[in-house]
Amino acid sequence: MDNQAYVVQMNGNAVHGKGPAKCPTPNGTRVTGNGMHRVGANGSLYPAKGKSRRLGWDVKPSVMANNTVNPIRAIVDSMKLSPNPDKPMIALSIASGDPTVFGNLPTDDAVLRAMKDAIDSHQYNGYSPSIGYLKSRQAVANFYSSSEAPLTAEDVILTSGCSQAIDLAISVLCNPGDNILVPCPGFSLYKTLAVSMGIEVKLYNLLPDRSWEVDLPHLESLIDERTSCLIVTNPSNPCGSVFTKEHIQKILKVASRHRVPVLADEIYGDMVFPGCSSPSLASLSSDVPILSCGGLAKRWLVPGWRMGWILIHDRNEVFGPAIRQGLVKLSQRILGACTIIQGALESILNNTPQSFYSNTISFLKSNSEICFNELSTVPGLNPVMPSGAMYLMVGIEVDHFPDFKDDVDFTEHLVTEQSVFCLPASAFEYPNFFRIVVTVPQEMMVEACGRIREFCQRHYRPSSSGSNDLDQ
């Protein structure tokens, strides 16, 4: 069989040539209004292109891949961790804040039954629409809708966990060269995603001596004409702080003044200790459009189920149809939310008893109080009592610990001597603090605090005689 090329004219009518190519162009090709193509003798269609021969293999990772860095992994993976063999390891550092690690915080039986029923129904084994089943989106809308911030199914995008929700929200609002405002300390994923997309990250300060409120003048000073998004995390990871209604209103006033939309990371919404309240940002916004990101991971204690969502709170139709259509298009890149979880979602939201939430929050508050009270009396440490979420931040008076150069060195030696691993807050770009995850069993928390006390008593010096003095 000969290897002559046959011509296909790509003119919208799918007309195939019937014989050997008689073409006005070389190599058996024809230029048409829709491009230049060739057909081999075996009928395969492929675009024509000039011959090139590379001298050798040269396969490189993309710019996006090279620009993708997880600050937590970058720091933790570089630490020299050699636990004390005489003491069992206590990990208070869980980077992802996974509440299931120690087995003491199981999800509710009603959540498991909903999953089993969804599986047994055999209705959720196929693909769903890219934004999720209508029934499942309506269930989320009903659960979170309020008179101040009403929602319909059209305002909900289901995603593969809250992380994908954040990814889609940043992607729809920002272009390369834009900048976003990110809390410091704050969840490292924001920077990981933004930098990989060529988006500049500007860090606005949180104030530890004011229970991690936003430094509003600093926030406002960072805004310019390329600021495309303000990220607000409430309740906070890594701080465990909860903003008051009044403080949220002040944040929204800054966003309103400068016409900056808000990405509200509210994955810890409603995980607030008794005596505090955590209104959603959307419920307090009259003119600032908000994309609120949440999911099942924390409140329902099932992070591995990867069910998240975006709630579109469009104020005065600032987003309009374009942002909604953009989110739909982005959701079509990869079908995200698991269909079985979607099938169980309505039951999970409506049938999980309030006692389950209350018991979880009571445990987290009790553990936080134990940790705060124990470490408050340790010389050289300054814990900040949280009001929600799963975390507590502890300040280190580094001048009183001359044996260590920074928080990474401090926490590294804490592992070596006491087999207690806390996450250095340099991972959140906030040095001289460390973060504790308070989901561990209570007896483990007490033991860990005792070891931290012993470690600090050994290394604490009333006045520093180390290099910090020499540098001044």
Side-chain angles (χ1 to χ4, degrees):
M1 186 174 186
D2 65 45
N3 290 320
Q4 287 181 295
Y6 290 74
V7 175
V8 169
Q9 184 172 335
M10 304 297 289
N11 60 4
N13 298 317
V15 177
H16 292 260
K18 305 227 184 233
K22 297 179 180 178
C23 307
T25 57
N27 300 322
T29 61
R30 175 180 297 169
V31 179
T32 73
N34 292 325
M36 180 184 295
H37 291 76
R38 299 179 69 214
V39 174
N42 61 0
S44 62
L45 174 65
Y46 52 91
K49 54 186 177 182
K51 291 182 179 180
S52 66
R53 179 171 295 175
R54 297 173 179 172
L55 298 179
W57 287 99
D58 185 21
V59 182
K60 297 177 180 178
S62 67
V63 172
M64 174 180 264
N66 282 334
N67 288 342
T68 300
V69 178
N70 184 325
I72 293 179
R73 291 263 54 92
I75 288 178
V76 172
D77 291 349
S78 66
M79 295 175 71
K80 300 178 180 65
L81 301 177
S82 302
N84 185 334
D86 297 326
K87 297 185 178 184
M89 186 70 169
I90 301 177
L92 305 178
S93 60
I94 308 163
S96 60
D98 185 346
T100 72
V101 167
F102 298 97
N104 59 313
L105 289 174
T107 192
D108 191 76
D109 287 344
V111 178
L112 299 178
R113 282 196 302 273
M115 272 292 288
K116 293 172 184 175
D117 290 344
I119 293 171
D120 291 341
S121 74
H122 301 288
Q123 295 179 20
Y124 305 104
N125 297 329
Y127 291 122
S128 72
S130 65
I131 59 175
Y133 291 122
L134 175 62
K135 179 181 178 182
S136 306
R137 291 186 285 118
Q138 187 63 60
V140 174
N142 292 342
F143 190 81
Y144 285 101
S145 188
S146 67
S147 57
E148 301 85 5
L151 291 165
T152 69
E154 299 305 310
D155 301 316
V156 178
I157 306 284
L158 299 184
T159 61
S160 178
C162 187
S163 295
Q164 191 197 19
I166 294 168
D167 185 14
L168 296 183
I170 293 175
S171 297
V172 80
L173 294 175
C174 308
N175 288 306
D178 287 350
N179 63 76
I180 62 173
L181 308 177
V182 172
C184 182
F187 185 34
S188 61
L189 180 67
Y190 312 137
K191 182 174 182 179
T192 298
L193 293 172
V195 172
S196 73
M197 292 187 272
I199 299 163
E200 181 187 1
V201 172
K202 294 185 175 183
L203 302 174
Y204 65 86
N205 292 331
L206 305 181
L207 304 171
D209 57 344
R210 299 184 61 177
S211 299
W212 301 109
E213 285 188 346
V214 174
D215 183 341
L216 293 168
H218 183 236
L219 167 65
E220 193 156 15
S221 73
L222 299 175
I223 300 174
D224 62 23
E225 67 279 358
R226 293 303 300 268
T227 302
S228 55
C229 175
L230 163 61
I231 297 181
V232 179
T233 315
N234 187 52
S236 169
N237 173 14
C239 302
S241 56
V242 178
F243 295 148
T244 64
K245 174 182 177 180
E246 293 72 23
H247 190 61
I248 293 173
Q249 289 172 328
K250 291 177 181 178
I251 296 170
L252 289 171
K253 283 182 179 179
V254 173
S256 175
R257 247 191 321 270
H258 296 275
R259 308 295 192 267
V260 177
V262 170
L263 190 170
D265 183 350
E266 298 178 323
I267 186 63
Y268 294 97
D270 300 314
M271 292 190 73
V272 177
F273 299 164
C276 298
S277 63
S278 177
S280 68
L281 269 75
S283 69
L284 300 177
S285 174
S286 60
D287 64 331
V288 177
I290 294 171
L291 298 180
S292 174
C293 300
L296 292 182
K298 310 302 183 178
R299 186 176 179 186
W300 286 268
L301 305 178
V302 286
W305 290 14
R306 311 310 302 139
M307 171 55 68
W309 46 73
I310 299 173
L311 309 180
I312 305 169
H313 296 279
D314 195 3
R315 295 292 177 262
N316 304 322
E317 298 188 2
V318 172
F319 285 151
I323 292 297
R324 292 172 183 269
Q325 291 169 4
L327 285 169
V328 172
K329 290 178 180 180
L330 288 169
S331 74
Q332 292 168 347
R333 295 178 66 194
I334 299 176
L335 298 181
C338 172
T339 54
I340 293 174
I341 314 297
Q342 290 187 57
L345 194 51
E346 183 176 19
S347 180
I348 290 173
L349 296 175
N350 295 334
N351 297 329
T352 304
Q354 182 60 42
S355 59
F356 166 73
Y357 306 127
S358 300
N359 291 339
T360 301
I361 292 170
S362 177
F363 173 84
L364 295 173
K365 181 184 180 184
S366 177
N367 251 14
S368 297
E369 289 174 339
I370 289 171
C371 185
F372 176 79
N373 292 334
E374 288 292 322
L375 298 186
S376 290
T377 59
V378 175
L381 297 185
N382 296 301
V384 181
M385 180 64 191
S387 298
M390 302 177 173
Y391 312 103
L392 182 148
M393 289 278 277
V394 182
I396 309 168
E397 297 176 5
V398 291
D399 286 351
H400 292 292
F401 295 99
D403 293 341
F404 314 117
K405 60 184 179 181
D406 54 24
D407 57 312
V408 177
D409 199 23
F410 181 98
T411 52
E412 190 175 272
H413 282 82
L414 180 57
V415 172
T416 301
E417 295 182 24
Q418 296 291 341
S419 295
V420 174
F421 188 16
C422 303
L423 194 63
S426 288
F428 307 107
E429 303 198 63
Y430 206 82
N432 301 330
F433 275 76
F434 60 86
R435 189 193 72 173
I436 288 176
V437 176
V438 297
T439 56
V440 300
Q442 193 169 96
E443 62 275 11
M444 194 177 289
M445 178 61 73
V446 173
E447 171 67 18
C449 288
R451 294 191 201 175
I452 293 172
R453 176 185 297 275
E454 182 180 330
F455 175 81
C456 290
Q457 288 175 339
R458 177 178 178 183
H459 294 281
Y460 180 82
R461 302 292 180 269
S463 60
S464 175
S465 59
S467 59
N468 286 341
D469 289 339
L470 296 176
D471 293 339
Q472 293 177 352

